[in-house]
């Protein structure tokens, strides 16, 4: 082991141990602070300069396999082209180089790899402002959300994956003496086990959360000994370019081959993810994105272990409220429906409400009244353009505008979407949420995902029907999140029981600063793998244990 | 929890704890003794009576879903028909009943399920002689091997799977209070996690090791909360019928629905494994058997997690011997090539030897001389018919005889196969091993599996070429086991390095009572999942962690 690696182990072992403790208790834990106060104030301006300095230029780090052409057509949802170009790869050069890098990484062992991974995350942490601008102007997230979600929160999810990977690697010794008692001398064998990587791991990045959704797979594969090729979404390359460049920098410093982590950006429409996912060298695929491509990967990629986080029909069951919590609950729901223009795979879509109304203390609110109250809460939340854009961010993709137009013709519009002028970026595309009222009978409307700020207030015969509808639609179509609001223990119990079958993650009567669409690293699971919305979760042992294999030798001792 | 379950936990917790310790250290551990001395002597005669009593009759336990027809055409490789018939199932009745049984099993929790599983294994242990006759007369194993492999050793593999499953289930709390510090009051959420089963698990049994290869998947799925339907090989139903009947008996006693474990035997040629594997209710498949069907499962079963143990080209690299170990090594190899007529998926097939010969001290043995010495060792081992049949058992399937005929025309026959008359069962089909000498250039011969007592002595240019050939053929075609004989540390190191890439389990210079084709529960892995011979291993966390999903609820605390 070289001195740098030994230093990194000494430096990061306490962090690793704390993370290992956190995944055992799954209580509150964070390593990377998500408050800007924890970072030097001048870093923001420097990062903005860095970001501006990258525009209109080629962002390159001399990666093995660059084929001499460049790609890149990123456009900020805030209304301008980034004009950053990236090296396009010759896979027949890149992938063999990555394969060749693996044996030394495997032989370094779990502790060294974990330390290097944590150093990469820590280095990324020092570049959180840099990441914030890269993420904001590719995902359309508001600056503060990009700072937190693409920065510290993503880093925490990466650390969580490192901890799970290390935990699985060390669930088992690397040597043992096996002694079988016998009549005379016992039989003694000396056994050795090596955790061998599966091969090259492919991370297919998404447009909305390239790092938060990319880091779990990236770091789970890397810590378990694999090389990782990152294929970013063509509209969100910069955050993963910063990630890969940083990882390579740390790998070189620690004495490893930088080709253990590589970027493979694609020309728009190239279909590089399919090509990569079917390469025989690729033995692991982590994907976040559309059900269509995720399902394709699950159905067609046979040589690799495939982990998918797709989308679903996140559902809220509304039954009854304590009167003193009603306003808080409405404000809370308004925020959940507005945050990042509901462009989160965890944003609620279906709100199930009994047609006889919901109880608020002794009062009964009809679906129409509840809809009006919720619309009012959203109007209040988003009434001021500056505050609205800080919550909404910008619309990441034009198809969301088309979908909003279609949704305006569905059912009865409870709340219409409106355009908001961004005070700083007048060309940004900003929209407020739309809510449409439909009936439980209109299942063709609400049993598919309307990605973006569109939700349905669905009248059901009763809360019992709501719970059945929730269970059945989620089992059939998937969901990452669900929520229930009820003052009745029986209703909450029934919603939980339905949840164990439907496989969503349920929030109960939340009114405070944690929202149904948020999941905290080290405690909340993101996805379950138990319904069509995802075949894996961030993170558990199943997410890491199949990324490597124990190989054995034994000899007389 | 009912009193019986509480009693079972009290009774079996020490066994569970010992097994949990053993999977951490992977040193020598066994719970179920495999020496007949540990069992009452009179049990053998009673078991023989039981076995004879089952012949010519219907073996039924009134399982939900019996469709009124019976199936069963088992024939003992020792030369007689068993004439046992079993209830055929209506899957549209059986599978819904199994699904309905799962919630209570899930709610019982990991410790209760582990205790019930260990009670099933312990009950099976009391029926080890019974199992021995059932296994002997379906698999063709010699009685003592059937007693050990289908009895105690299989039970240990089952216990190992229970321990891994319990370990993965409890890597995580079922409740936590999450408290995030804030400016004023901290935010507190009470979180709850349920380990939810994936669904119905299918175990597809094999002809040669129905219990040893069946128990890991069966008990891994059962302990993690799933119901298990067992589809036995049509020629080896009895061992799994005894298993399922015993499991159902224990489940009823413990207050659970017996349909959590069910047998689904098929008419010959019915193709029931395919039908079951594609049923939407089936979410886990464990298969042991041919590459052809295993590959089909891996390629076509998309709704279920598929674990396969197939076959490969187990390889022995012969480089050099210490003179005092040469005879022992030959005897050892002779046993490996003869045990159960090499009908083990772990039996060696390819023996790689430098054409310039192997060193035995200062002497050099040419491939011809080494082949003659090995043939002599086999002749000596199998010279006496009683001893020979106790090692060889009987030929399980006529296709092995056809293959032996074909092999007699391949290369140069070093050792011809001969028929042995079984002293007790004159109609038994018993054959000794065949060895053919070929050249490394004859890859079309040795790069496929010749299941049965056929091996090839393959001349290579050098040990270096042997190691490369080993690595490349195993990467391409798979292997479960490998061995190297060398006095050179460099050769052994190179063989190990090749092994980490090829993903076989390597035995080095074994001459004692542990053979390359044997793997001990709790210490040796069986399969690695790292080459085409298997996509999983008995047992590690990857084998169990994907059999259940953590589902979460959270609420203000």
């Amino acid at each position: 082991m070289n001195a740098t690696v030994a230093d990194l182990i000494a430096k990061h072992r306490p962090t690793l141990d704390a993370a290992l403790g956190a995944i055992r208790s799954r209580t509150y834990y964070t390593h990377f602070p998500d408050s800007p106060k924890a970072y030097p104030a001048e870093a923001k301006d420097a990062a903005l300069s860095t970001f501006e300095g990258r525009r209109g230029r080629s962002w390159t780090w001399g990666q093995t396999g660059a084929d001499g052409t460049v790609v890149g057509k990123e456009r900020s949802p805030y209304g301008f082209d980034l004009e950053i170009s990236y090296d396009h790869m010759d896979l027949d050069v890149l992938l063999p180089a990555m394969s060749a890098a693996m044996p030394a990484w495997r032989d370094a062992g779990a502790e060294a790899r974990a330390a290097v991974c944590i150093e990469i995350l820590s280095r990324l942490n020092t570049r959180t402002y840099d990441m914030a601008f890269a993420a904001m102007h590719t995902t359309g997230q508001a600056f503060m959300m990009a700072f937190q979600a693409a920065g510290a929160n993503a880093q925490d999810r990466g650390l969580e994956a490192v901890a799970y990977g290390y935990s699985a690697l060390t669930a088992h010794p690397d040597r043992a003496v096996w002694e079988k008692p016998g009549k005379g001398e016992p039989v003694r064998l000396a056994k050795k086990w090596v955790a061998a990587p599966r091969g090259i791991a492919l991370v297919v990045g998404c447009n909305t959360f390239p790092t938060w959704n990319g880091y779990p797979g990236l770091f789970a594969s890397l810590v378990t000994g694999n090389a990782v090729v990152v294929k970013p979404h063509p509209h969100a390359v910069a955050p993963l370019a910063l990630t890969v460049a940083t990882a390579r920098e740390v790998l070189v410093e620690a004495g490893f081959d930088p080709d253990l982590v590589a970027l493979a950006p694609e020309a728009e429409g190239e279909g590089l993810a399919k090509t990569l996912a079917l390469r025989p060298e690729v033995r692991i695929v982590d994907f976040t994105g559309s059900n269509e491509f995720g399902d394709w990967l699950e159905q067609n990629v046979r040589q690799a272990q495939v982990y998918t986080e797709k989308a679903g029909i996140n559902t809220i069951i509304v039954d009854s409220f304590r009167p003193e919590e009603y306003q808080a609950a409405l404000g809370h729901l308004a925020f959940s429906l507005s945050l990042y223009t509901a462009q989160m795979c965890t944003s609620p879509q279906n709100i199930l409400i009994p047609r006889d109304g919901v109880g608020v203390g002794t009062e009964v609110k009809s679906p129409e009244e509840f809809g009006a109250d919720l619309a009012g809460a959203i109007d209040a939340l988003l009434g001021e353009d500056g505050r609205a854009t800080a919550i909404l961010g910008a619309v990441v993709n034009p198809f969301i505008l088309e979908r909003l137009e279609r949704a305006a013709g569905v059912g009865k519009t409870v709340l219409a979407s409106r355009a908001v002028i961004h005070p700083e970026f007048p060309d940004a595309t900003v929209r407020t949420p739309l809510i449409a009222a439909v009936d439980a009978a209109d299942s063709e409307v609400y049993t598919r995902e309307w990605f973006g700020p569109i939700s349905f207030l669905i009248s059901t015969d009763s809360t019992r029907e709501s719970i059945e509808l929730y269970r059945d639609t989620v089992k059939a179509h998937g969901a990452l999140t669900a929520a229930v609001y009820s003052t009745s223990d029986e209703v909450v119990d029934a919603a939980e029981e339905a949840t164990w079958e439907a496989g969503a993650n349920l929030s109960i009567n939340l009114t405070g600063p944690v929202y149904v669409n948020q999941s905290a690293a080290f405690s909340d699971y993101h996805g379950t793998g138990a319904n069509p919305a995802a075949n894996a979760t961030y993170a558990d042992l199943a997410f890491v244990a199949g990324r490597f294999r124990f190989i054995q030798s034994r000899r007389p001792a």
Side-chain angles (χ1 to χ4, degrees), chain A:
Chain A
M1 190 188 300
N2 69 41
T4 310
V5 172
D7 286 349
L8 291 178
I9 291 172
K11 180 178 168 191
H12 294 306
R13 183 76 222 194
T15 302
L16 178 61
D17 286 337
L20 288 168
I23 63 169
R24 294 293 302 192
S25 71
R26 288 194 84 96
T27 49
Y28 176 80
Y29 175 72
T30 178
H31 179 69
F32 298 106
D34 70 358
S35 163
K37 288 181 197 152
Y39 298 83
E42 64 277 15
K44 184 174 181 182
D45 287 347
L48 183 57
S49 296
T50 302
F51 174 73
E52 291 298 342
R54 286 200 188 103
R55 293 184 54 199
R57 298 181 54 196
S58 170
W59 188 356
T60 182
W61 46 83
Q63 187 173 289
T64 305
D67 68 7
T69 65
V70 294
V71 296
K73 284 208 167 180
E74 290 162 293
R75 178 174 171 79
S76 171
Y78 292 92
F80 55 89
D81 292 329
L82 300 198
E83 296 179 320
I84 304 174
S85 63
Y86 306 89
D87 291 336
H88 190 261
M89 293 296 120
D90 179 345
L91 301 184
D92 292 331
V93 178
L94 175 63
L95 299 184
M98 297 182 72
S99 294
M102 271 187 282
W105 185 237
R106 175 197 72 205
D107 290 344
E111 194 178 37
R113 289 196 303 270
V116 172
C117 286
I118 299 174
E119 179 65 16
I120 295 169
L121 289 162
S122 304
R123 191 74 57 91
L124 284 164
N125 183 252
T126 67
R127 295 168 184 175
T128 294
Y129 270 114
D130 196 354
M131 182 60 77
F133 285 109
M136 174 183 182
H137 290 298
T138 49
T139 69
Q141 289 172 20
F143 180 78
M144 190 46 56
M145 182 172 179
F147 182 91
Q148 297 183 316
N153 298 346
Q155 293 148 18
D156 270 343
R157 278 282 178 208
L159 179 58
E160 179 189 48
V162 170
Y164 271 103
Y166 183 83
S167 163
L169 288 160
T170 55
H172 198 272
D174 56 1
R175 280 164 201 274
V177 174
W178 180 89
E179 181 178 301
K180 182 179 184 177
K183 282 173 209 159
E185 276 292 286
V187 185
R188 272 200 205 100
L189 296 176
K191 301 189 180 184
K192 188 198 286 189
W193 293 279
V194 165
R198 280 185 89 93
I200 295 176
L202 167 65
V203 172
V204 180
C206 70
N207 197 353
T208 47
F209 289 92
T211 60
W212 195 94
N213 278 93
Y215 286 3
L218 195 167
F219 285 96
S221 286
L222 196 58
V223 77
T224 50
N226 305 280
V228 182
V229 58
V230 178
K231 203 295 293 173
H233 191 283
H235 297 173
V237 184
L240 291 171
L242 180 57
T243 302
V244 168
T246 302
R248 293 173 64 94
E249 185 182 302
V250 172
L251 284 164
V252 169
E253 289 171 17
F256 295 102
D257 189 329
D259 290 329
L260 287 166
V261 181
L263 192 77
E266 67 182 329
E268 192 141 4
E270 182 186 351
L272 184 57
K274 269 194 191 184
T275 305
L276 274 166
L278 295 173
R279 288 283 297 214
E281 304 96 324
V282 169
R283 303 299 312 280
I284 300 170
V285 179
D286 283 274
F287 168 75
T288 311
S290 71
N291 290 57
E292 190 190 352
F293 191 59
D295 291 344
W296 183 88
L297 288 168
E298 291 176 22
Q299 297 293 323
N300 293 285
V301 176
R302 306 268 53 90
Q303 89 290 354
Q305 188 91 17
V306 176
Y307 303 88
T308 62
E309 297 282 333
K310 300 172 291 185
I313 301 166
N314 303 315
T315 301
I316 297 181
I317 297 162
V318 181
D319 173 68
S320 53
F321 296 88
R322 288 199 290 169
E324 66 275 23
E325 291 192 342
Y326 185 59
Q327 286 307 323
L330 289 172
H332 186 92
L333 284 174
F335 189 86
S336 281
L337 294 169
S338 303
L339 182 64
Y340 185 29
T341 320
Q343 295 170 134
M344 303 173 73
C345 50
T346 52
S347 302
Q349 174 183 303
N350 288 355
I351 305 170
L352 302 170
I353 183 168
R355 70 181 88 256
D356 292 340
V358 295
V360 180
T362 55
E363 209 182 336
V364 174
K365 295 268 189 184
S366 70
E368 292 71 26
E369 290 169 316
F370 177 80
D373 290 348
L374 181 57
I378 292 175
D379 280 341
L381 181 71
L382 305 177
E384 194 272 301
D385 281 358
R387 184 177 175 200
T389 51
I391 294 168
L392 293 165
V395 170
V396 69
N397 197 306
F399 72 64
I400 287 175
L401 302 181
E402 294 164 28
R403 201 171 284 157
L404 270 171
E405 275 180 39
R406 261 193 295 140
V410 170
K412 182 164 176 289
T413 300
V414 173
L415 176 68
S417 175
R418 67 180 175 85
V420 176
I421 304 298
H422 196 290
E424 191 183 347
F425 299 101
D427 294 334
T429 308
V430 183
R431 293 291 184 281
T432 64
L434 175 150
I435 304 177
V438 299
D439 192 86
D442 303 325
S443 60
E444 79 289 352
V445 169
Y446 63 79
T447 57
R448 56 205 170 87
E449 200 210 8
W450 294 65
F451 187 80
I454 296 158
S455 57
F456 300 105
L457 195 60
I458 302 165
S459 295
T460 66
D461 286 343
S462 63
T463 294
R464 167 180 258 181
E465 194 198 23
S466 295
I467 293 172
E468 283 170 14
L469 202 61
Y470 155 60
R471 185 195 59 210
D472 295 344
T473 52
V474 172
K475 276 178 88 164
H477 306 286
L480 294 170
T481 63
V484 60
Y485 285 88
S486 179
T487 58
S488 153
D489 288 345
E490 276 168 36
V491 167
V492 169
D493 289 350
E496 277 192 328
E497 181 63 29
T499 296
W500 311 148
E501 288 191 42
N505 287 319
L506 182 71
S507 293
I508 300 166
N509 292 330
L510 292 192
T511 58
V514 173
Y515 296 89
V516 61
N517 22 353
Q518 294 176 324
S519 84
F522 296 102
S523 182
D524 295 319
Y525 285 122
H526 175 75
T528 65
N531 68 46
N535 78 356
T537 190
Y538 306 154
D540 64 3
L541 285 172
F543 188 67
V544 297
R547 293 175 194 261
F548 64 96
R549 294 294 175 187
F550 289 117
I551 321 283
Q552 165 177 314
S553 77
R554 59 182 182 178
R555 64 180 91 193

